[in-house]
Amino acid sequence: MRIAFRCDASIQLGTGHVMRCLTLADALAAQGGHCLFICADGPGEMTATIVARGHEAVCLPAGMGADKDAAATLAALGGMVINWLVVDHYPLDQDWHRALRVVAERILVIDDLANRTLDADMVLDQNLSVHADTRYVDLVGAQCRQLIGPHYALLGPDFGRLRQMQRQPASPVRVLVSFGGSDPAGLTLPVLQALLAAELGDVRFDVVIGSQCSAKQSIEALGRTDQRVTCHVATPHMAALMAGASVFVGAGGATSWERCCMGVPSVIAAVADNQQAGCEALAAIGAQLYLGRCESVPIQAWVAATTLLLQSHTVAQTLSQVAATVVDGQGTQRVVRAMLQADPGRLCQLRSATLDDAANLHAWRNHPDVRRFAGDDRDIPLIQHMAWLNRLFADPQRVLLIAEDEAGPVGVLRYDREDEIAIVSIYLVPGRIGQGLGAGLLTAGEHWLCTHWPTVRQIKAVVRADNPRSARLFAAAGYQPVTHHLLKQIGA
């Protein structure tokens, strides 16, 4: 699957558009997608970050109008037909989208404003809104699928993984300060200086900035001279920093959903017009302290609100609990599944295995690359394998499925049904391992379950401790860890 992203970053825009598109691109690449980013000139760190994450990047001249932008984007694609065009760019509307239809089979628009007409097959707006059902009713066609609300928030896998663990704020207390990668409002340094000057007790400060932050050198110098301050430049470890923070201080925007996922009590101001409604909505349900538009917030208001959260466990805990109900960390995978489901033909096809497949199944199951991660990693004799197959085929609560695509067999799925739970077992056939096909196989399996076993409500997977690749596959497909299983073998 070929996916192109049209998004920009700049000192004025910030880096949030590119970063959330990168999160989606990483998840699509894990399923074998090939991702190309088309960005106007902006902070140099973004192109390097895109390439470092394994994607391609093409730069366009900055400051073009929509018509010239469409022509330049088409030229960058070079006539290549793409399965999905993901557009995260507020100035571009239906006219731009229609111009790209000559090469784009489907268009996904990521938006926050709902202020223009879109020619899209899918629209993603991860904001909290009381008018979610009608927000885009007059802006998109009847066939456009709408993914609205924080349920679809684009978060990296670390957030979903760390959310499963009980929050353990660090000792001594840590305050996380972040006003965006480029800090367009220039608030990081003055707010940090005010917090350092306040009598907050034994508190440490983690400060997150991008390489293009105008105050970068001053903040780094402060980190070298004040042991309370640690400066993190373009960090990939935001989830871990949030997991250890007692309080977050900074801007609204994309980090709102990260903070909610991790349940971090937060003091927030809007630093851009598109942040204001989201900040107000989260404050209205009691998920954060919102101080207002940044230009109208006195510096001492930041200190007072931070002091309140550090000194009042009840207030901080209430904010944390409410925020954690808003986002569960699985939004990225929901968006990926929606994109795959829009074109089921691109998923591998499943069919029930028969005795005619017995020889192939036996050979695949006993291949060293498959056997070493099987629940029973011994070589299975053919007569034993045949007996197992006959028992399975005779049991209506069990099914064995073979996945195939145009290149041949892909993998094998087995489901064992227990009331509303289906226990899944999966392996890729030798020669198809390492091609990013596992997630598509799981998605195809979910389609099969919905069609053939509609009473199933949960899928359970058991993963060996020495198989982290399989654990990552299930986590990326939306499976959540529930308990830890411990086993001790005794005797011969």
Side-chain angles (χ1 to χ4, degrees):
M1 185 163 59
R2 294 186 297 272
I3 309 102
F5 291 81
R6 179 67 187 92
C7 53
D8 287 343
S10 68
I11 300 300
Q12 294 73 31
L13 283 174
T15 59
H17 296 277
V18 173
M19 293 307 297
R20 66 185 179 185
C21 284
L22 263 175
T23 297
L24 179 57
D26 289 346
L28 289 164
Q31 302 210 29
H34 179 86
C35 299
L36 166 67
F37 279 72
I38 302 172
C39 306
D41 289 337
E45 73 178 71
M46 296 314 302
T47 299
T49 300
I50 291 167
V51 174
R53 300 262 281 260
H55 312 298
E56 292 187 46
V58 175
C59 288
L60 303 181
M64 296 183 293
D67 291 343
K68 290 184 177 179
D69 191 296
T73 301
L74 285 169
L77 290 168
M80 175 179 65
V81 176
I82 52 176
N83 305 118
W84 278 96
L85 174 61
V86 181
V87 187
D88 191 349
H89 203 299
Y90 299 145
L92 305 180
D93 62 10
Q94 64 178 358
D95 294 333
W96 189 97
H97 304 146
R98 287 170 181 166
L100 271 292
R101 286 286 184 186
V102 295
V103 294
E105 293 180 350
R106 288 180 174 79
I107 295 177
L108 163 62
V109 175
I110 301 177
D111 188 51
D112 303 295
L113 303 179
N115 67 346
R116 63 201 186 283
T117 306
L118 309 172
D119 181 15
D121 300 279
M122 192 176 293
V123 61
L124 165 62
D125 184 337
Q126 57 191 19
N127 291 289
L128 190 65
S129 173
V130 294
H131 305 296
D133 294 339
T134 59
R135 188 164 164 80
Y136 288 87
V137 67
D138 296 323
L139 302 178
V140 299
Q143 302 304 312
C144 178
R145 181 172 179 184
Q146 300 179 37
L147 310 180
I148 310 297
H151 190 62
Y152 298 100
L154 295 174
L155 304 187
D158 284 351
F159 288 93
R161 178 176 58 83
L162 291 175
R163 175 186 168 89
Q164 305 304 319
M165 306 176 186
Q166 186 174 2
R167 263 181 52 78
Q168 294 291 340
S171 181
V173 169
R174 303 195 76 87
V175 172
L176 179 56
V177 180
S178 176
F179 285 89
S182 63
D183 186 13
L187 283 171
T188 304
L189 185 58
V191 170
L192 176 61
Q193 289 172 329
L195 292 172
L196 289 169
E199 296 181 1
L200 299 178
D202 189 12
V203 177
R204 302 292 186 269
F205 297 89
D206 290 297
V207 185
V208 175
I209 57 174
S211 64
Q212 301 298 312
C213 176
S214 59
K216 175 175 175 288
Q217 292 184 347
S218 298
I219 296 168
E220 289 179 321
L222 192 55
R224 290 190 294 269
T225 58
D226 192 323
Q227 65 178 5
R228 294 174 295 172
V229 177
T230 302
C231 182
H232 307 266
V233 180
T235 178
H237 305 300
M238 196 64 155
L241 291 172
M242 287 186 177
S246 293
V247 174
F248 178 98
V249 176
T255 58
S256 296
W257 316 121
E258 297 174 351
R259 292 183 281 103
C260 286
C261 182
M262 302 306 296
V264 190
S266 302
V267 179
I268 300 299
V271 302
D273 291 341
N274 65 298
Q275 294 181 2
Q276 188 167 344
C279 287
E280 291 172 350
L282 285 172
I285 64 171
Q288 64 183 18
L289 294 184
Y290 175 51
L291 303 182
R293 285 298 302 257
C294 64
E295 56 268 23
S296 63
V297 179
I299 289 296
Q300 285 308 309
W302 292 99
V303 176
T306 304
T307 302
L308 171 64
L309 294 190
L310 289 174
Q311 293 181 352
S312 176
H313 175 76
T314 300
V315 174
Q317 187 67 13
T318 299
L319 290 176
S320 174
Q321 290 173 348
V322 174
T325 66
V326 176
V327 178
D328 65 4
Q330 304 303 315
T332 302
Q333 292 309 314
R334 293 187 181 101
V335 176
V336 169
R337 286 197 292 273
M339 294 174 73
L340 290 173
Q341 289 165 1
D343 191 358
R346 296 198 178 277
L347 296 174
C348 50
Q349 302 299 308
L350 297 180
R351 64 173 178 83
S352 296
T354 70
L355 285 177
D356 291 337
D357 299 302
N360 281 335
L361 290 167
H362 182 248
W364 296 337
R365 167 58 183 77
N366 278 343
H367 192 281
D369 289 344
V370 175
R371 181 158 46 88
R372 64 195 178 104
F373 291 126
D376 182 351
D377 58 7
R378 296 172 299 175
D379 189 277
I380 304 296
L382 179 58
I383 189 171
Q384 181 178 335
H385 175 72
M386 294 299 297
W388 175 82
L389 273 180
N390 280 302
R391 290 195 301 272
L392 185 147
F393 291 152
D395 189 342
Q397 302 303 310
R398 307 177 75 190
V399 65
L400 191 66
L401 304 168
I402 295 177
E404 298 172 330
D405 62 14
E406 58 187 14
V410 172
V412 178
L413 278 172
R414 189 183 81 240
Y415 290 109
D416 299 331
R417 181 167 53 178
E418 297 177 358
D419 297 324
E420 295 185 348
I421 298 176
I423 303 170
V424 62
S425 174
I426 178 176
Y427 67 81
L428 295 173
V429 304
R432 306 304 299 271
I433 298 171
Q435 298 179 12
L437 300 170
L441 179 53
L442 288 175
T443 301
E446 291 178 29
H447 281 280
W448 189 96
L449 287 173
C450 291
T451 301
H452 296 84
W453 288 354
T455 59
V456 168
R457 291 292 177 265
Q458 290 183 314
I459 310 174
K460 176 181 177 182
V462 178
V463 180
R464 283 175 44 155
D466 60 350
N467 191 1
R469 175 183 292 180
S470 183
R472 289 193 297 269
L473 168 66
F474 282 110
Y479 288 67
Q480 301 180 37
V482 177
T483 59
H484 289 286
H485 183 100
L486 302 178
L487 179 68
K488 181 178 181 179
Q489 187 168 338
I490 60 174

